[in-house]
Amino acid sequence: MNFLSDPRWSDALSRLPDYLGNHVRVSLAALALGLAISFPLALIVRRQPLLRDIALGFASIVQTVPGLALLALFYPLLLALAALSLQWFGQGFSAFGFLPSVLALALYSMLPVLRNTITGLQGIDPAIIEAAEGVGMTQRQSLTMVELPLALPVIMAGIRTAAVWVIGTATLSTPIGQTSLGNYIFAGLQTQNWVFVLFGCVAAAALALAVDQLLALIEGGVRLHSRPRIVLGCLGLVALIAATLMPSMARTKTTIIVGAKTFTEQYVLSALITHRLQAAGLSASSREGLGSNVIFEALASGDIDVYVDYSGTLWANQLKRTDIKQRKELLSDLTATLKDKYGISLLGELGFENAYALVMPRKRAEELGIHTIADLAPRASSLSIAGDYEFFSRPEWTALRQSYSLSFRQQRQMQPDFMYAAVTAGDVDVIAGYTSDGLIAKYDLVVLDDPKSAIPPYDAIVLISPKRAGDQTLRQALQPLLGKIDIATMREANLRAAGGDSNSSPDAVARWLWEKVSKR
Amino acid sequence: MVHHDDMTSAAPAIAYENVGKSFEQGHTKAIDDVSLNVTAGEFLAVVGASGSGKTTLLRLANRLIAPDSGRVRVQGNDVRGVDPITLRRSIGYVFQSGGLFPHMTVAGNIGITPRLLGTPAQEIFDRVDELIDLVRLDRSHRNRFPHELSGGQRQRVGVARALAAKPAIVLMDEPFGALDPLTRDALGEDYRALHRSLGLTTVMITHDMAEALLLADRVAVMREGRLVAQGTAQELSNSTDAYVGQLLNTPRRQAERLQELLPKGRT
């Protein structure tokens, strides 16, 4: 198939107005806020060495925090503030998406503006400032008529740097719920859709480059006293902003937002749910790539309306429960607690589990006569195990070890995508995989039974936000999915979605999944 | 001849009364008990080496610097009782090597003080043309930027800027120091003519005694913060002060030597 006729290009293109518009909106707001803070700050601190060092030091420290971490930090911070505000003023606010992104990115933009404004003003020939005083200017007049105009090229260079940083870093605001060009990159990395990754990178780079060049035009105009350049640069910027913001403003506000976490299965399921809602005549769109904690809080506060989570995850992470219950019991307990504590409705189970499980190559397991974890236990001391970055610190691992007295020769942490290949190749003997992963079937691996039920159940469940609790159309539209997706079907869907070709987009896989499910 | 005669003949245009000024928390005495009157309509040159306090003396007059002790009066009023911004706008100031604002055109630079005073734009426009003619620049220079001008042209703009708000007093800080001799001579002569025709009171700082003697009515000599002599060329040559003698010797010897070297009757 011709490279450019790949349908993923047109898929990517169709999302551009939304992603680009949101990207520009958040970058613009962050840059404006950053400027509004750092510019006056620079004017205040420039003549006081101590304050100046503190301000510059703070901005430098912020700069050393990785962009993703800075964005991630703002979410819990705002969440706490929102809770306080709700308690004190009876009025909360959304700690999701736009606000934390703008705040974090604004902080990120401070250093270049602060530094360049200060150095720009300090670099002015003292004789000129003296002349300003001598001709009878007040301090303010000297600043606005002489010092700032002279420092403007340097300040503009700082704004340019800040703009490029903010536009680049804004791609990282996807996991905290702000739609951006990063949506292409996060989705593409998870579903191995390289067209998306490439598209996202190119779009973000092109935007940054365009803004940089337009600002450079203005900067040059300021330096060379060329009014046409300044006017042209400003017009270009206004046109760019208008062109990118208009489409997203004109779009009808979607009423139902479907969330998805950061892995393949979630992208497929959110696409499936979005399709079903649209088929039922509801307007719906998906918000993908959300962090595990972000997505639950977003649902509780109504920033998103529906998503799929897993019973064991909520049990341990959100309800902080360490006791392990039987499936039915856990589900009914969870349903009641979610309703009481958060107002969240648990619509029902999809029919499969995505649990942690100990996984081995089928041949190896048969050779060793291992069918269950109980069979594995006596041999564990000569075997090695690999898990994802969090598995060995999770309560499931503690429970497994205690129930079966497991003690492995070696335990390693691995990127989840690589674990399956590693165990197939014999680099490790056992992995803590995910039961719904398509690679289990692909590599002919076997999931070891858990006769003591040490691992809690991880039923995939559909959650609905408090404000949509009474929406019967929504409930009706999703009803046909409940109990219809068995583990084999989900594994196949996940395998398809990891295919890396044009039929592997979450949308395409969701359509395939619906075809299978609707016949049941 | 002097326009401001009726207003200013009573009091000196600038009067320094036992003025003292120290810098660096009193460690450096820039001005030490100086008393000096500048008569209205007079062209006074202040001569001294670098660090003699001559620039400080000049800045005390428009309150760029405030005195520690003594009193500075401008047209009879103690400068401490006057709003410094208003005072500076009413006094012309020509800076060493121009001190022009590099981001403003010639017209912008010349018109700056009237603009600060809120003069209507059309009036400033006409005034700028008038001043460009007065300092013998070309009107085509109007919209040029300082970096597009020669050193002499820049200094002419500096003079025009100082005169823009029709001041009675003009302070000049080594205005012609950085110029080549021909330009320097032409500018000096031109300014001297302006000083007369406009009835200005001028205080000019220079380290060049020859320039001071040729341009000014009277010369004040500063050394290490003290005023060591003041007077016309005639009066100075009668001075018994050794330093003044030294300062006068240089131009005198130069003049004699040139007299010998240059054949008479040819210019």
Side-chain angles (χ1 to χ4, degrees), chain A residues 363-376:
Chain A
K363 267 176 97 177
R364 186 85 198 283
E366 278 167 10
E367 277 167 26
L368 296 172
I370 296 174
H371 302 286
T372 69
I373 303 173
D375 300 338
L376 177 71

Side-chain angles (χ1 to χ4, degrees), chain A residues 127-139 141 145-147 149-150 224-225, chain B residues 59 62 64 85 88-89 91 93 95 99-104 112-113 115-116 145 161:
Chain A
I128 290 172
I129 297 174
E130 211 164 76
E133 212 182 345
V135 301
M137 288 189 189
T138 60
Q139 286 227 327
Q141 285 168 333
M145 296 172 81
V146 176
E147 294 170 65
L150 286 175
L224 301 170
H225 312 290
Chain B
R59 290 179 182 187
N62 70 347
L64 282 172
I85 302 295
R88 285 173 207 151
R89 288 174 187 175
I91 296 178
Y93 202 116
F95 296 86
L100 301 183
F101 303 122
H103 62 298
M104 292 184 189
I112 188 69
T113 306
R115 194 172 139 205
L116 295 175
F145 285 94
R161 182 173 70 180

Side-chain angles (χ1 to χ4, degrees), chain B residues 40-53:
Chain B
E42 177 180 35
F43 192 142
L44 176 81
V46 181
V47 181
S50 4
S52 62

